[in-house]
Amino acid sequence: MGNARVARDYYGILGVASDAEPDEIKRAYRRLARELHPDVNSDPSAQERFAEVTAEIDDALIRMQLTLEECLTGVTRDLAVDTAVLCSECTGSGCAPGTKPAICDICGGRGEVQTVQRSFLGQVVTSRPCPTCRGLGEVIPDPCRQCGGDGRVRSRRNVGVRIPAGVADGMRVRLAGQGEVGAGGGPAGDLYVEVEEIPHEVFTRDGSDLHCTVSLPMTAAALGTTLALPTLDGVEELTVEAGTQTGTVRTLRGKGMPRLRSTGRVDGRGDLMVHVEVVVPTKLDKEQTELLRRLAVLRGEEQPDLGAGGRNGHGLFSRLRDTLGGR
Ligand SMILES: [Zn+2]
Ligand SMILES: [Zn+2]
């Protein structure tokens, strides 16, 4: 510290490495926000850091709503970003034209102040950032009128954002150098765009796999059929074999979402799982009822036998019946 041009270091504030993953940044942010919250920490320097930590995250994170189709292909969008940019009047120095910063009287330019406390261990010397110059070591005697001495002004600008194929709800895309300009005109931080996926009407997503449910009339499930299934890649022909049961899952390989690796590369695509639900008619007219009755007679199913085994029974009911009968 001790330099008025020091950047507001996003990673430094959070105490993470500059190549930290978004998850790590999120954890560090939550931990700090909890530790420094004014409700639990009454130390004035903690309150200052709390404001710094929270301000840095609200300002540099933008949420973007995407449809499943947009997550599939990736998308480029112009975002109106409201951030702090370099003040044109003072070019970031914060000083009125023709004036200069002065060394801070309170800390003598060191940027930190020391307090000495007596304890049973002897004298304890603690340092904290100078409250007068906020650790910068310099003060501005005659602040710039446009930015009030901050070196930055709020500005709305358009940023072209490229969201890669395969993103999912909650993922963050980092745009290096597109965030806030640092205090005193320091280098800009990064901008994060967080994806908010709009739920799809037909497909539900599980990582890179998609799931959907098709309802099949009882007759089609029994006789077999071919369905024209709309997928994200267009209409696919899906052959349903005769005798298909409720709960059957058909997998269409490679018809899911792109597998986006942490390196940012796409490694193939997931699958589309089609869940079949066989629908039994609830309303039958006289002729249909008559036909089904005849079918039941032909199949010997007028009085279904639960002990017969069958696909789901496995004869369990017959064993249960035998046990009961033996008493
Ligand atoms: Zn200015
Ligand atoms: Zn100072």
Side-chain angles (χ1 to χ4, degrees):
M1 304 294 260
N3 182 339
R5 289 192 172 274
V6 73
R8 211 147 72 116
D9 177 15
Y10 178 55
Y11 302 98
I13 287 166
L14 294 182
V16 296
S18 62
D19 59 350
E21 294 287 322
D23 265 350
E24 199 184 329
I25 295 167
K26 218 190 279 186
R27 273 198 305 276
Y29 165 71
R30 287 204 187 118
R31 181 176 52 78
L32 280 172
R34 212 169 38 230
E35 282 175 12
L36 301 170
H37 195 281
D39 285 354
V40 295
N41 198 327
S42 57
D43 186 343
S45 71
Q47 288 177 25
E48 209 171 286
R49 284 200 66 208
F50 179 75
E52 217 174 20
V53 163
T54 50
E56 202 69 40
I57 291 277
D58 289 351
D59 287 343
L61 180 71
I62 288 171
R63 286 192 173 76
M64 191 193 272
Q65 285 201 328
L66 294 180
T67 62
L68 187 67
E69 288 86 350
E70 286 170 328
C71 291
L72 173 78
T73 56
V75 69
T76 303
R77 274 215 199 143
D78 265 352
L79 271 186
V81 182
D82 187 20
T83 54
V85 296
L86 202 68
C87 171
S88 58
E89 184 73 18
C90 62
T91 60
S93 73
C95 301
T99 70
K100 276 185 184 172
I103 299 290
C104 172
D105 287 343
I106 303 300
C107 62
R110 284 190 312 277
E112 54 177 39
V113 287
Q114 295 184 333
T115 39
V116 181
Q117 286 176 314
R118 284 176 190 285
S119 79
F120 64 93
L121 294 170
Q123 283 194 346
V124 180
V125 181
T126 49
S127 306
R128 62 190 176 95
C130 170
T132 304
C133 62
R134 295 171 66 210
L136 300 174
E138 289 175 330
V139 288
I140 295 168
D142 192 3
C144 162
R145 294 235 171 98
Q146 189 169 295
C147 64
D150 194 35
R152 306 176 294 176
V153 285
R154 305 303 301 178
S155 166
R156 180 158 279 229
R157 66 205 160 97
N158 278 328
V159 178
V161 177
R162 168 91 196 123
I163 303 292
V167 290
D169 194 64
M171 273 189 188
R172 286 183 183 183
V173 177
R174 178 169 149 188
L175 306 167
Q178 296 287 356
E180 301 266 293
V181 168
D190 297 331
L191 178 70
Y192 284 86
V193 176
E194 187 170 288
V195 173
E196 205 182 308
E197 193 179 307
I198 302 166
H200 196 273
E201 283 186 326
V202 175
F203 302 107
T204 53
R205 185 168 176 181
D206 177 17
S208 60
D209 291 333
L210 292 175
H211 295 260
C212 71
T213 301
V214 295
S215 299
L216 210 57
M218 175 188 81
T219 45
L223 299 170
T225 187
T226 304
L227 297 176
L229 182 76
T231 71
L232 293 177
D233 299 272
V235 177
E236 293 280 326
E237 212 172 71
L238 183 72
T239 307
V240 176
E241 282 152 27
T244 291
Q245 307 289 327
T246 277
T248 299
V249 182
R250 295 287 308 277
T251 302
L252 299 180
R253 298 256 172 247
K255 298 292 175 192
M257 300 296 284
R259 284 192 200 96
L260 184 62
R261 299 299 184 202
S262 56
T263 56
R265 286 182 50 167
V266 170
D267 181 15
R269 284 175 64 178
D271 302 327
L272 170 60
M273 260 77 100
V274 183
H275 299 253
V276 179
E277 183 189 75
V278 177
V279 179
V280 176
T282 51
K283 280 182 188 164
L284 297 169
D285 64 21
K286 214 177 156 190
E287 191 182 358
Q288 291 163 353
T289 308
E290 193 49 45
L291 275 170
L292 277 180
R293 285 233 166 87
R294 277 177 56 200
L295 181 65
V297 171
L298 285 173
R299 292 182 55 81
E301 291 170 352
E302 309 108 291
Q303 189 59 56
D305 181 5
L306 292 178
R311 191 175 178 276
N312 298 314
H314 301 292
L316 286 176
F317 278 103
S318 74
R319 263 190 267 158
L320 180 65
R321 198 172 47 196
D322 293 347
T323 314
L324 293 173
R327 279 192 191 164

